Structure formats: structure tokens, C-alpha cells
Amino acid sequence: MYLRPMPQPLAVEMNAEEFYSHFFYYRGMRRAQESDYLGALADWNQELRLNPDFAPAYFDRANLRRQIGDIRGAIEDYTQVIKLCPDCADAYFKRGNAYRELGDNHSAIKDYTQVIKLNPKWAEAYNNRGNARRELGDAKGALEDYDRALALKPNYAKAYYNRGLSRRILGNLLGAIEDYNQAIRLNPEYATAYVNRGLTYSALGAKQKAITDLQQGAKMFLQYGHLGVYRKLVENIRKLQE
């Protein structure tokens, strides 16, 4: 029930009886699509007062809460979804992402592991669990997760990039370069991949390649309006050019 893939997670089939019995839920969906977030939250709150076991309202309210920065509120709602629908992989996955935003990687790993039990072919769950493991210092475990993600989704640029980070941590600098190359091939606008490839080239002593990549990354971050990152990269480039 409610497992991926779905056009919209936790969507319910629309018909006249369904619409009128969950009027506030559907109106909340429309308001959210129109960026009326307060109106959407008010409607979903009312829906749950009337139908406290209606999982889709908890799920969509959780997504919106996370979007507007109420991460703890989102986790509470995802937890309610899981209580109502224990096999809902989407809710575990989204709650895992929310835990990571709070820096709770241990809880995130538990949720991603549950996602994988429910859907062993979900590449993003392996990738995100790898990120949590890497941030906890388990670069080898992270590498295993990225390998699995790429076996399931060979054109997954983020997984190549993240595996590159783990390989660099483990001292495999040439392997890291190969992964950054793949990430950039799949996504030529991947600014952080250029930056980390440049830093890895610098560690290998390939100064000119490092400068070229850092310049490309700096240009992209300037275009994106990330001036703090841009200034830091310009300073790194200046030091390499000395």
C-alpha cells in the first residue's frame, strides 16, 4: 500500500464521494499548488480534525512543513503516516531526509534501511544512507551504498559525486577523480563536482588542472548568486597561483 512508484505519493483516487468526504484535503492540495501555504495548512488541519486517520493529509502536511522549515513538525507528521501505513516507503524516506536536515544521521540511517527493506531497488535510499554514513565517519560503509545506488541507477550523477567524496576520504584520489568526471559528464552544471575535482587535483599536485576546475566552479557559484562560496574559491585560486 502506498509504495513507489506513484504519480503523487499517498494520492487517493478521485471521485465525487471521495472529494466531498475529504473536501478540505483536496482544497488544501489546490491551495498548496497556488503557493497559499497557510491556507493549505489550515485546510489539512481541518481535514485531520474530521478524519484523524487520513494518511494522505499527514503526508502532504509533512511535505509542506518541511518546505517552509518546520522540520520537527514534518517528522511528527511522517511518523503519523508510518503508524497508519507501516509499509509506506515514501514516508520513511522523507522522514530520513528530515532527520538528516536536523543532523540526526543515526535516525536517518534507520529510516533509509527500512526503505531499502520495503523497496530494495530504490537507488536514492542507498545514496542518502551513504551520505549519512559518510557524515558519521563510515566512509567504507558509504562507499558500499554508493556502489549499490549506481548498480541500480548507472546514470546517477549525485551518487558518482558522493562516491568521489568517500573515495577521497579513503585516500583513493584517482578513483575520486574518475567519479567526479562521471558526475560532470552526466551533469555539466555540477558546480560542487568541479570544485571537489579541483581540490583533488591540487592534492595530487596537478596545479593547473586544479586552477581550471576551481575557476569553473567559482564562475558557476557566482552565476547562482552564492557570493560567499565564490569569494572563498577565488582566494583558493589566488593561493594556487602564487
Side-chain angles (χ1 to χ4, degrees):
M1 182 179 187
Y2 296 140
L3 291 178
R4 285 176 40 136
M6 294 181 67
Q8 178 178 338
L10 290 177
V12 292
E13 185 178 351
M14 174 74 78
N15 56 55
E17 182 179 356
E18 185 72 40
F19 177 81
Y20 287 111
S21 63
H22 296 291
F23 170 78
F24 290 102
Y25 170 68
Y26 288 112
R27 191 174 70 176
M29 288 177 63
R30 190 189 73 237
R31 285 179 163 176
Q33 291 168 357
E34 295 171 350
S35 299
D36 179 8
Y37 299 140
L38 291 178
L41 288 174
D43 274 345
W44 289 332
N45 291 342
Q46 180 63 15
E47 176 67 37
L48 290 168
R49 280 191 286 269
L50 296 170
N51 299 291
D53 293 335
F54 191 58
Y58 283 111
F59 188 82
D60 285 340
R61 189 174 71 175
N63 291 337
L64 182 51
R65 281 179 161 178
R66 185 173 166 221
Q67 182 178 337
I68 64 177
D70 181 11
I71 308 302
R72 295 187 186 278
I75 288 172
E76 291 176 2
D77 278 346
Y78 291 132
T79 301
Q80 286 298 317
V81 175
I82 290 166
K83 288 179 180 178
L84 294 166
C85 177
D87 61 350
C88 180
D90 273 305
Y92 283 105
F93 182 75
K94 293 290 186 69
R95 191 175 69 174
N97 291 342
Y99 276 131
R100 285 202 66 232
E101 289 183 50
L102 291 180
D104 186 355
N105 283 307
H106 290 288
S107 295
I109 287 171
K110 291 179 182 178
D111 276 349
Y112 295 137
T113 300
Q114 186 62 27
V115 174
I116 291 164
K117 288 180 181 178
L118 292 166
N119 183 354
K121 295 185 178 181
W122 196 331
E124 290 80 4
Y126 285 102
N127 177 73
N128 290 12
R129 189 175 71 176
N131 290 341
R133 285 177 162 177
R134 189 187 72 243
E135 290 175 9
L136 287 172
D138 183 11
K140 288 184 178 179
L143 201 64
E144 293 173 2
D145 276 342
Y146 300 136
D147 285 344
R148 184 58 179 156
L150 288 165
L152 292 167
K153 192 175 179 179
N155 292 326
Y156 194 0
K158 286 184 178 180
Y160 278 112
Y161 171 77
N162 289 322
R163 191 173 70 176
L165 296 179
S166 285
R167 281 179 163 176
R168 187 178 172 204
I169 290 169
L170 294 169
N172 183 2
L173 301 186
L174 292 178
I177 293 289
E178 290 176 2
D179 279 341
Y180 297 139
N181 288 345
Q182 289 295 328
I184 291 168
R185 178 183 65 83
L186 292 165
N187 179 7
E189 302 300 314
Y190 210 148
T192 52
Y194 281 103
V195 170
N196 279 282
R197 189 175 69 176
L199 294 173
T200 308
Y201 275 134
S202 179
L204 287 168
K207 183 180 290 188
Q208 190 52 54
K209 287 185 175 181
I211 290 171
T212 299
D213 271 352
L214 293 176
Q215 287 175 332
Q216 181 63 26
K219 177 182 176 182
M220 289 180 173
F221 277 111
L222 180 61
Q223 290 173 341
Y224 302 153
H226 300 303
L227 297 181
V229 178
Y230 168 76
R231 293 189 184 103
K232 185 175 181 180
L233 289 172
V234 168
E235 179 63 18
N236 287 341
I237 292 166
R238 185 188 63 78
K239 290 179 180 179
L240 284 171
Q241 290 173 330
E242 288 179 348

PDB file of all heavy atoms in Angstrom, residues 105-133:
ATOM      1  N   ASN A 105      21.832  11.774  11.931  1.00  0.00           N
ATOM      2  CA  ASN A 105      22.142  10.779  10.914  1.00  0.00           C
ATOM      3  C   ASN A 105      21.849   9.358  11.370  1.00  0.00           C
ATOM      4  O   ASN A 105      21.553   8.489  10.546  1.00  0.00           O
ATOM      5  CB  ASN A 105      23.603  10.910  10.488  1.00  0.00           C
ATOM      6  CG  ASN A 105      23.835  12.081   9.557  1.00  0.00           C
ATOM      7  OD1 ASN A 105      23.168  12.226   8.542  1.00  0.00           O
ATOM      8  ND2 ASN A 105      24.779  12.944   9.907  1.00  0.00           N
ATOM      9  N   HIS A 106      21.921   9.101  12.663  1.00  0.00           N
ATOM     10  CA  HIS A 106      21.612   7.754  13.150  1.00  0.00           C
ATOM     11  C   HIS A 106      20.146   7.395  12.855  1.00  0.00           C
ATOM     12  O   HIS A 106      19.853   6.294  12.357  1.00  0.00           O
ATOM     13  CB  HIS A 106      21.894   7.658  14.651  1.00  0.00           C
ATOM     14  CG  HIS A 106      23.350   7.707  15.000  1.00  0.00           C
ATOM     15  ND1 HIS A 106      24.207   6.657  14.740  1.00  0.00           N
ATOM     16  CD2 HIS A 106      24.108   8.682  15.575  1.00  0.00           C
ATOM     17  CE1 HIS A 106      25.428   6.968  15.148  1.00  0.00           C
ATOM     18  NE2 HIS A 106      25.395   8.187  15.643  1.00  0.00           N
ATOM     19  N   SER A 107      19.246   8.326  13.167  1.00  0.00           N
ATOM     20  CA  SER A 107      17.828   8.078  12.876  1.00  0.00           C
ATOM     21  C   SER A 107      17.580   8.004  11.377  1.00  0.00           C
ATOM     22  O   SER A 107      16.762   7.205  10.903  1.00  0.00           O
ATOM     23  CB  SER A 107      16.957   9.172  13.501  1.00  0.00           C
ATOM     24  OG  SER A 107      17.031   9.132  14.909  1.00  0.00           O
ATOM     25  N   ALA A 108      18.294   8.831  10.624  1.00  0.00           N
ATOM     26  CA  ALA A 108      18.137   8.815   9.166  1.00  0.00           C
ATOM     27  C   ALA A 108      18.532   7.444   8.610  1.00  0.00           C
ATOM     28  O   ALA A 108      17.834   6.895   7.744  1.00  0.00           O
ATOM     29  CB  ALA A 108      18.981   9.913   8.536  1.00  0.00           C
ATOM     30  N   ILE A 109      19.631   6.889   9.089  1.00  0.00           N
ATOM     31  CA  ILE A 109      20.090   5.584   8.600  1.00  0.00           C
ATOM     32  C   ILE A 109      19.035   4.521   8.875  1.00  0.00           C
ATOM     33  O   ILE A 109      18.763   3.657   8.022  1.00  0.00           O
ATOM     34  CB  ILE A 109      21.438   5.221   9.245  1.00  0.00           C
ATOM     35  CG1 ILE A 109      22.545   6.084   8.630  1.00  0.00           C
ATOM     36  CG2 ILE A 109      21.750   3.733   9.053  1.00  0.00           C
ATOM     37  CD1 ILE A 109      23.879   5.976   9.333  1.00  0.00           C
ATOM     38  N   LYS A 110      18.424   4.556  10.050  1.00  0.00           N
ATOM     39  CA  LYS A 110      17.371   3.583  10.368  1.00  0.00           C
ATOM     40  C   LYS A 110      16.213   3.688   9.374  1.00  0.00           C
ATOM     41  O   LYS A 110      15.688   2.663   8.908  1.00  0.00           O
ATOM     42  CB  LYS A 110      16.862   3.809  11.787  1.00  0.00           C
ATOM     43  CG  LYS A 110      17.863   3.450  12.874  1.00  0.00           C
ATOM     44  CD  LYS A 110      17.278   3.731  14.259  1.00  0.00           C
ATOM     45  CE  LYS A 110      18.292   3.426  15.353  1.00  0.00           C
ATOM     46  NZ  LYS A 110      17.748   3.745  16.711  1.00  0.00           N
ATOM     47  N   ASP A 111      15.839   4.923   9.040  1.00  0.00           N
ATOM     48  CA  ASP A 111      14.728   5.087   8.097  1.00  0.00           C
ATOM     49  C   ASP A 111      15.099   4.641   6.691  1.00  0.00           C
ATOM     50  O   ASP A 111      14.316   3.973   6.001  1.00  0.00           O
ATOM     51  CB  ASP A 111      14.256   6.544   8.088  1.00  0.00           C
ATOM     52  CG  ASP A 111      13.264   6.842   9.198  1.00  0.00           C
ATOM     53  OD1 ASP A 111      12.790   5.888   9.847  1.00  0.00           O
ATOM     54  OD2 ASP A 111      12.951   8.023   9.423  1.00  0.00           O
ATOM     55  N   TYR A 112      16.296   5.001   6.220  1.00  0.00           N
ATOM     56  CA  TYR A 112      16.704   4.576   4.877  1.00  0.00           C
ATOM     57  C   TYR A 112      16.831   3.054   4.804  1.00  0.00           C
ATOM     58  O   TYR A 112      16.503   2.448   3.770  1.00  0.00           O
ATOM     59  CB  TYR A 112      18.040   5.221   4.492  1.00  0.00           C
ATOM     60  CG  TYR A 112      17.988   6.719   4.366  1.00  0.00           C
ATOM     61  CD1 TYR A 112      19.004   7.522   4.880  1.00  0.00           C
ATOM     62  CD2 TYR A 112      16.930   7.354   3.718  1.00  0.00           C
ATOM     63  CE1 TYR A 112      18.980   8.904   4.764  1.00  0.00           C
ATOM     64  CE2 TYR A 112      16.881   8.736   3.599  1.00  0.00           C
ATOM     65  CZ  TYR A 112      17.905   9.509   4.124  1.00  0.00           C
ATOM     66  OH  TYR A 112      17.874  10.869   4.010  1.00  0.00           O
ATOM     67  N   THR A 113      17.280   2.437   5.893  1.00  0.00           N
ATOM     68  CA  THR A 113      17.375   0.985   5.917  1.00  0.00           C
ATOM     69  C   THR A 113      15.991   0.358   5.800  1.00  0.00           C
ATOM     70  O   THR A 113      15.809  -0.660   5.094  1.00  0.00           O
ATOM     71  CB  THR A 113      18.076   0.517   7.201  1.00  0.00           C
ATOM     72  OG1 THR A 113      19.399   1.082   7.242  1.00  0.00           O
ATOM     73  CG2 THR A 113      18.171  -0.998   7.264  1.00  0.00           C
ATOM     74  N   GLN A 114      15.009   0.965   6.441  1.00  0.00           N
ATOM     75  CA  GLN A 114      13.637   0.470   6.334  1.00  0.00           C
ATOM     76  C   GLN A 114      13.102   0.648   4.916  1.00  0.00           C
ATOM     77  O   GLN A 114      12.399  -0.232   4.395  1.00  0.00           O
ATOM     78  CB  GLN A 114      12.733   1.178   7.334  1.00  0.00           C
ATOM     79  CG  GLN A 114      11.317   0.646   7.395  1.00  0.00           C
ATOM     80  CD  GLN A 114      11.250  -0.802   7.841  1.00  0.00           C
ATOM     81  OE1 GLN A 114      12.120  -1.281   8.551  1.00  0.00           O
ATOM     82  NE2 GLN A 114      10.197  -1.503   7.426  1.00  0.00           N
ATOM     83  N   VAL A 115      13.439   1.766   4.290  1.00  0.00           N
ATOM     84  CA  VAL A 115      13.039   1.974   2.894  1.00  0.00           C
ATOM     85  C   VAL A 115      13.585   0.851   2.024  1.00  0.00           C
ATOM     86  O   VAL A 115      12.869   0.277   1.189  1.00  0.00           O
ATOM     87  CB  VAL A 115      13.556   3.334   2.371  1.00  0.00           C
ATOM     88  CG1 VAL A 115      13.273   3.474   0.871  1.00  0.00           C
ATOM     89  CG2 VAL A 115      12.919   4.490   3.119  1.00  0.00           C
ATOM     90  N   ILE A 116      14.852   0.528   2.228  1.00  0.00           N
ATOM     91  CA  ILE A 116      15.501  -0.498   1.412  1.00  0.00           C
ATOM     92  C   ILE A 116      14.871  -1.866   1.644  1.00  0.00           C
ATOM     93  O   ILE A 116      14.738  -2.669   0.708  1.00  0.00           O
ATOM     94  CB  ILE A 116      17.016  -0.504   1.695  1.00  0.00           C
ATOM     95  CG1 ILE A 116      17.642   0.796   1.135  1.00  0.00           C
ATOM     96  CG2 ILE A 116      17.690  -1.727   1.103  1.00  0.00           C
ATOM     97  CD1 ILE A 116      19.025   1.095   1.658  1.00  0.00           C
ATOM     98  N   LYS A 117      14.451  -2.136   2.876  1.00  0.00           N
ATOM     99  CA  LYS A 117      13.749  -3.396   3.148  1.00  0.00           C
ATOM    100  C   LYS A 117      12.440  -3.456   2.376  1.00  0.00           C
ATOM    101  O   LYS A 117      12.058  -4.503   1.848  1.00  0.00           O
ATOM    102  CB  LYS A 117      13.482  -3.538   4.647  1.00  0.00           C
ATOM    103  CG  LYS A 117      14.716  -3.837   5.482  1.00  0.00           C
ATOM    104  CD  LYS A 117      14.350  -3.950   6.953  1.00  0.00           C
ATOM    105  CE  LYS A 117      15.576  -4.235   7.810  1.00  0.00           C
ATOM    106  NZ  LYS A 117      15.222  -4.299   9.260  1.00  0.00           N
ATOM    107  N   LEU A 118      11.748  -2.321   2.308  1.00  0.00           N
ATOM    108  CA  LEU A 118      10.465  -2.273   1.620  1.00  0.00           C
ATOM    109  C   LEU A 118      10.621  -2.221   0.107  1.00  0.00           C
ATOM    110  O   LEU A 118       9.789  -2.753  -0.631  1.00  0.00           O
ATOM    111  CB  LEU A 118       9.664  -1.056   2.101  1.00  0.00           C
ATOM    112  CG  LEU A 118       9.184  -1.103   3.553  1.00  0.00           C
ATOM    113  CD1 LEU A 118       8.708   0.276   4.003  1.00  0.00           C
ATOM    114  CD2 LEU A 118       8.059  -2.123   3.708  1.00  0.00           C
ATOM    115  N   ASN A 119      11.689  -1.580  -0.344  1.00  0.00           N
ATOM    116  CA  ASN A 119      11.919  -1.433  -1.782  1.00  0.00           C
ATOM    117  C   ASN A 119      13.422  -1.495  -2.047  1.00  0.00           C
ATOM    118  O   ASN A 119      14.101  -0.470  -2.086  1.00  0.00           O
ATOM    119  CB  ASN A 119      11.342  -0.106  -2.283  1.00  0.00           C
ATOM    120  CG  ASN A 119      11.488   0.056  -3.788  1.00  0.00           C
ATOM    121  OD1 ASN A 119      12.112  -0.772  -4.448  1.00  0.00           O
ATOM    122  ND2 ASN A 119      10.928   1.114  -4.343  1.00  0.00           N
ATOM    123  N   PRO A 120      13.962  -2.698  -2.242  1.00  0.00           N
ATOM    124  CA  PRO A 120      15.411  -2.869  -2.402  1.00  0.00           C
ATOM    125  C   PRO A 120      15.989  -2.221  -3.660  1.00  0.00           C
ATOM    126  O   PRO A 120      17.216  -2.162  -3.801  1.00  0.00           O
ATOM    127  CB  PRO A 120      15.583  -4.396  -2.460  1.00  0.00           C
ATOM    128  CG  PRO A 120      14.339  -4.957  -1.883  1.00  0.00           C
ATOM    129  CD  PRO A 120      13.251  -3.985  -2.231  1.00  0.00           C
ATOM    130  N   LYS A 121      15.139  -1.728  -4.549  1.00  0.00           N
ATOM    131  CA  LYS A 121      15.634  -1.130  -5.788  1.00  0.00           C
ATOM    132  C   LYS A 121      15.576   0.392  -5.781  1.00  0.00           C
ATOM    133  O   LYS A 121      15.676   1.033  -6.826  1.00  0.00           O
ATOM    134  CB  LYS A 121      14.834  -1.674  -6.979  1.00  0.00           C
ATOM    135  CG  LYS A 121      15.036  -3.174  -7.193  1.00  0.00           C
ATOM    136  CD  LYS A 121      14.328  -3.669  -8.437  1.00  0.00           C
ATOM    137  CE  LYS A 121      14.590  -5.163  -8.654  1.00  0.00           C
ATOM    138  NZ  LYS A 121      13.917  -5.667  -9.887  1.00  0.00           N
ATOM    139  N   TRP A 122      15.446   0.986  -4.605  1.00  0.00           N
ATOM    140  CA  TRP A 122      15.343   2.441  -4.501  1.00  0.00           C
ATOM    141  C   TRP A 122      16.749   3.030  -4.391  1.00  0.00           C
ATOM    142  O   TRP A 122      17.336   3.113  -3.315  1.00  0.00           O
ATOM    143  CB  TRP A 122      14.496   2.813  -3.287  1.00  0.00           C
ATOM    144  CG  TRP A 122      14.010   4.234  -3.294  1.00  0.00           C
ATOM    145  CD1 TRP A 122      14.602   5.299  -3.861  1.00  0.00           C
ATOM    146  CD2 TRP A 122      12.814   4.716  -2.672  1.00  0.00           C
ATOM    147  NE1 TRP A 122      13.862   6.443  -3.649  1.00  0.00           N
ATOM    148  CE2 TRP A 122      12.765   6.100  -2.928  1.00  0.00           C
ATOM    149  CE3 TRP A 122      11.797   4.120  -1.922  1.00  0.00           C
ATOM    150  CZ2 TRP A 122      11.724   6.902  -2.441  1.00  0.00           C
ATOM    151  CZ3 TRP A 122      10.774   4.917  -1.461  1.00  0.00           C
ATOM    152  CH2 TRP A 122      10.734   6.287  -1.718  1.00  0.00           C
ATOM    153  N   ALA A 123      17.307   3.454  -5.505  1.00  0.00           N
ATOM    154  CA  ALA A 123      18.689   3.933  -5.546  1.00  0.00           C
ATOM    155  C   ALA A 123      18.914   5.135  -4.631  1.00  0.00           C
ATOM    156  O   ALA A 123      19.968   5.258  -3.989  1.00  0.00           O
ATOM    157  CB  ALA A 123      19.070   4.280  -6.984  1.00  0.00           C
ATOM    158  N   GLU A 124      17.944   6.037  -4.589  1.00  0.00           N
ATOM    159  CA  GLU A 124      18.107   7.247  -3.771  1.00  0.00           C
ATOM    160  C   GLU A 124      18.234   6.927  -2.290  1.00  0.00           C
ATOM    161  O   GLU A 124      18.911   7.654  -1.549  1.00  0.00           O
ATOM    162  CB  GLU A 124      16.928   8.196  -4.006  1.00  0.00           C
ATOM    163  CG  GLU A 124      16.904   8.854  -5.379  1.00  0.00           C
ATOM    164  CD  GLU A 124      16.354   7.933  -6.470  1.00  0.00           C
ATOM    165  OE1 GLU A 124      15.920   6.810  -6.153  1.00  0.00           O
ATOM    166  OE2 GLU A 124      16.377   8.344  -7.647  1.00  0.00           O
ATOM    167  N   ALA A 125      17.601   5.849  -1.851  1.00  0.00           N
ATOM    168  CA  ALA A 125      17.706   5.465  -0.443  1.00  0.00           C
ATOM    169  C   ALA A 125      19.121   5.013  -0.119  1.00  0.00           C
ATOM    170  O   ALA A 125      19.676   5.346   0.937  1.00  0.00           O
ATOM    171  CB  ALA A 125      16.693   4.372  -0.105  1.00  0.00           C
ATOM    172  N   TYR A 126      19.738   4.245  -1.026  1.00  0.00           N
ATOM    173  CA  TYR A 126      21.136   3.851  -0.828  1.00  0.00           C
ATOM    174  C   TYR A 126      22.050   5.082  -0.830  1.00  0.00           C
ATOM    175  O   TYR A 126      22.953   5.203   0.001  1.00  0.00           O
ATOM    176  CB  TYR A 126      21.578   2.886  -1.926  1.00  0.00           C
ATOM    177  CG  TYR A 126      21.040   1.487  -1.784  1.00  0.00           C
ATOM    178  CD1 TYR A 126      19.971   1.054  -2.564  1.00  0.00           C
ATOM    179  CD2 TYR A 126      21.593   0.589  -0.878  1.00  0.00           C
ATOM    180  CE1 TYR A 126      19.466  -0.236  -2.441  1.00  0.00           C
ATOM    181  CE2 TYR A 126      21.090  -0.701  -0.751  1.00  0.00           C
ATOM    182  CZ  TYR A 126      20.035  -1.107  -1.536  1.00  0.00           C
ATOM    183  OH  TYR A 126      19.534  -2.380  -1.409  1.00  0.00           O
ATOM    184  N   ASN A 127      21.825   5.981  -1.783  1.00  0.00           N
ATOM    185  CA  ASN A 127      22.651   7.180  -1.865  1.00  0.00           C
ATOM    186  C   ASN A 127      22.553   8.002  -0.585  1.00  0.00           C
ATOM    187  O   ASN A 127      23.572   8.429  -0.016  1.00  0.00           O
ATOM    188  CB  ASN A 127      22.226   8.026  -3.064  1.00  0.00           C
ATOM    189  CG  ASN A 127      22.994   9.326  -3.160  1.00  0.00           C
ATOM    190  OD1 ASN A 127      24.173   9.349  -3.515  1.00  0.00           O
ATOM    191  ND2 ASN A 127      22.343  10.430  -2.819  1.00  0.00           N
ATOM    192  N   ASN A 128      21.339   8.234  -0.106  1.00  0.00           N
ATOM    193  CA  ASN A 128      21.159   9.072   1.069  1.00  0.00           C
ATOM    194  C   ASN A 128      21.675   8.387   2.334  1.00  0.00           C
ATOM    195  O   ASN A 128      22.213   9.042   3.225  1.00  0.00           O
ATOM    196  CB  ASN A 128      19.689   9.454   1.225  1.00  0.00           C
ATOM    197  CG  ASN A 128      19.245  10.427   0.150  1.00  0.00           C
ATOM    198  OD1 ASN A 128      19.941  10.659  -0.830  1.00  0.00           O
ATOM    199  ND2 ASN A 128      18.068  11.004   0.321  1.00  0.00           N
ATOM    200  N   ARG A 129      21.513   7.057   2.400  1.00  0.00           N
ATOM    201  CA  ARG A 129      22.087   6.351   3.547  1.00  0.00           C
ATOM    202  C   ARG A 129      23.608   6.451   3.500  1.00  0.00           C
ATOM    203  O   ARG A 129      24.271   6.609   4.540  1.00  0.00           O
ATOM    204  CB  ARG A 129      21.639   4.885   3.570  1.00  0.00           C
ATOM    205  CG  ARG A 129      22.048   4.170   4.865  1.00  0.00           C
ATOM    206  CD  ARG A 129      21.495   2.766   4.942  1.00  0.00           C
ATOM    207  NE  ARG A 129      22.140   1.856   4.001  1.00  0.00           N
ATOM    208  CZ  ARG A 129      21.885   0.559   3.941  1.00  0.00           C
ATOM    209  NH1 ARG A 129      20.961   0.023   4.756  1.00  0.00           N
ATOM    210  NH2 ARG A 129      22.503  -0.217   3.067  1.00  0.00           N
ATOM    211  N   GLY A 130      24.166   6.386   2.285  1.00  0.00           N
ATOM    212  CA  GLY A 130      25.609   6.572   2.140  1.00  0.00           C
ATOM    213  C   GLY A 130      26.058   7.929   2.652  1.00  0.00           C
ATOM    214  O   GLY A 130      27.082   8.048   3.328  1.00  0.00           O
ATOM    215  N   ASN A 131      25.288   8.973   2.340  1.00  0.00           N
ATOM    216  CA  ASN A 131      25.640  10.311   2.828  1.00  0.00           C
ATOM    217  C   ASN A 131      25.641  10.360   4.348  1.00  0.00           C
ATOM    218  O   ASN A 131      26.545  10.944   4.967  1.00  0.00           O
ATOM    219  CB  ASN A 131      24.649  11.336   2.277  1.00  0.00           C
ATOM    220  CG  ASN A 131      24.799  11.564   0.791  1.00  0.00           C
ATOM    221  OD1 ASN A 131      25.834  11.242   0.208  1.00  0.00           O
ATOM    222  ND2 ASN A 131      23.778  12.117   0.156  1.00  0.00           N
ATOM    223  N   ALA A 132      24.619   9.763   4.951  1.00  0.00           N
ATOM    224  CA  ALA A 132      24.541   9.759   6.411  1.00  0.00           C
ATOM    225  C   ALA A 132      25.711   8.980   7.011  1.00  0.00           C
ATOM    226  O   ALA A 132      26.307   9.401   8.010  1.00  0.00           O
ATOM    227  CB  ALA A 132      23.213   9.163   6.859  1.00  0.00           C
ATOM    228  N   ARG A 133      26.047   7.855   6.424  1.00  0.00           N
ATOM    229  CA  ARG A 133      27.168   7.065   6.915  1.00  0.00           C
ATOM    230  C   ARG A 133      28.478   7.836   6.788  1.00  0.00           C
ATOM    231  O   ARG A 133      29.310   7.826   7.704  1.00  0.00           O
ATOM    232  CB  ARG A 133      27.260   5.739   6.145  1.00  0.00           C
ATOM    233  CG  ARG A 133      26.210   4.720   6.546  1.00  0.00           C
ATOM    234  CD  ARG A 133      26.301   3.458   5.709  1.00  0.00           C
ATOM    235  NE  ARG A 133      25.602   2.359   6.361  1.00  0.00           N
ATOM    236  CZ  ARG A 133      25.459   1.145   5.832  1.00  0.00           C
ATOM    237  NH1 ARG A 133      25.962   0.887   4.626  1.00  0.00           N
ATOM    238  NH2 ARG A 133      24.816   0.204   6.487  1.00  0.00           N
TER     239      ARG A 133
END
